Amino acid sequence: MISRLDHLKQFYGLLGELEHRLRGTRRLSDCSARAGWPKRGVYFFTEPGEIRSDSGKGPRVVRVGTHALKPGAKSTLWSRLRQHKGSAKSGSGNHRGSIFRLIVGAALIKRDSVHCPTWEKFRSHAPPEVRKSERPAEQEVSTAIGAMPFLWLSVDDEPGPDSRRGFIERNSIALLSNYGKRPLDPPSRVWLGQDCNRKRVRCSGLWNSNHVDEDYDPEFLEVLKRLVAATEKPS
């Protein structure tokens, strides 16, 4: 039987091919809407200092994501990445529109003993004075996420329950996650996620909460392989 470690090696081999086809990774701090993004896709973030220890050499993936999967959703790959990036002008952002920003910020606030009692209050819209008081923390989040190299994969299918984007996202997370499993490619002792207040982040080794406790379907690797093979180099 093929093991999870074997599947991880296959997964990272495909990401290596994707990186070659894309001519390298990007960082959100350097990105804009003019970078020629596909309309729809999946993204894979790594993080400086987080290195694989079991499946081979190189950085380990710390977050997998996509944009809205509900039928009729109009969001795009770049619109979601832009939410994670924050404002290019102010360096701030809105963590209430990005779970990635929310959990990275929670970890930074704890690690650095930042006073920001409103960070996890107000589900959607916070009063202007609250947003203003949170700006220094938002700027720190933008700096942290903006420094993370990432790859993206074009998956141009309609949003819905049978979306290939959703299939790749949830199975990639389930494969990478160490939640309730023997750790493979575990995070470093100084990984920022160790200070996150979400058990699913700490125990999975990922900046993800959904799908970390699920089983993966190895067939997703064949789908991923075909999509990577269809990836054209940026002009």
Side-chain angles (χ1 to χ4, degrees):
M1 179 181 290
I2 300 177
S3 67
R4 177 176 165 233
L5 179 57
D6 291 327
H7 287 140
L8 277 172
K9 290 177 179 178
Q10 291 179 35
F11 175 82
Y12 279 110
L14 291 171
L15 288 196
E17 175 63 19
L18 179 61
E19 181 174 355
H20 172 72
R21 288 177 174 271
L22 294 174
R23 295 177 176 165
T25 58
R26 290 182 185 171
R27 287 177 171 81
L28 278 182
S29 57
D30 302 322
C31 292
S32 71
R34 298 185 298 275
W37 305 102
K39 183 178 181 181
R40 301 184 180 98
V42 181
Y43 56 79
F44 307 88
F45 276 85
T46 60
E47 193 169 344
E50 291 304 305
I51 305 300
R52 293 150 58 200
S53 55
D54 296 293
S55 64
K57 296 181 180 180
R60 69 180 188 89
V61 170
V62 297
R63 179 174 173 86
V64 182
T66 186
H67 41 108
L69 293 167
K70 292 182 179 179
K74 302 299 183 183
S75 65
T76 65
L77 175 63
W78 171 245
S79 68
R80 190 56 176 155
L81 289 171
R82 183 178 58 199
Q83 288 177 313
H84 297 329
K85 174 180 178 173
S87 170
K89 289 185 178 180
S90 67
S92 187
N94 177 20
H95 70 276
R96 293 178 180 88
S98 163
I99 186 65
F100 192 11
R101 293 186 65 91
L102 174 69
I103 57 181
V104 169
L108 284 167
I109 287 167
K110 180 182 177 184
R111 187 192 71 180
D112 300 337
S113 300
V114 175
H115 181 70
C116 191
T118 61
W119 189 257
E120 300 200 54
K121 296 182 178 180
F122 306 101
R123 286 196 172 187
S124 54
H125 301 290
E129 62 272 18
V130 169
R131 293 287 303 275
K132 183 178 180 180
S133 70
E134 293 171 345
R135 190 173 299 164
E138 294 278 17
Q139 290 170 333
E140 290 299 318
V141 172
S142 294
T143 297
I145 292 178
M148 297 181 189
F150 71 98
L151 295 168
W152 65 100
L153 178 69
S154 176
V155 190
D156 194 14
D157 60 358
E158 293 294 327
D162 298 321
S163 165
R164 287 180 298 166
R165 287 189 291 118
F167 183 64
I168 290 170
E169 179 197 37
R170 67 176 176 269
N171 282 287
S172 296
I173 293 169
L175 171 61
L176 291 162
S177 171
N178 285 322
Y179 190 94
K181 307 170 191 172
R182 181 174 72 86
L184 293 174
D185 296 332
S188 69
R189 286 190 231 174
V190 296
W191 179 49
L192 177 59
Q194 307 280 19
D195 286 304
C196 188
N197 58 1
R198 262 89 168 159
K199 179 182 177 181
R200 286 172 170 252
V201 170
R202 298 192 309 272
C203 294
S204 68
L206 301 171
W207 293 111
N208 288 97
S209 293
N210 293 334
H211 313 303
V212 297
D213 58 346
E214 298 175 10
D215 294 326
Y216 66 91
D217 179 355
E219 289 300 314
F220 95 94
L221 291 167
E222 289 300 317
V223 178
L224 182 61
K225 182 179 180 179
R226 291 195 295 270
L227 289 166
V228 169
T231 301
E232 297 182 359
K233 292 182 179 180
S235 58

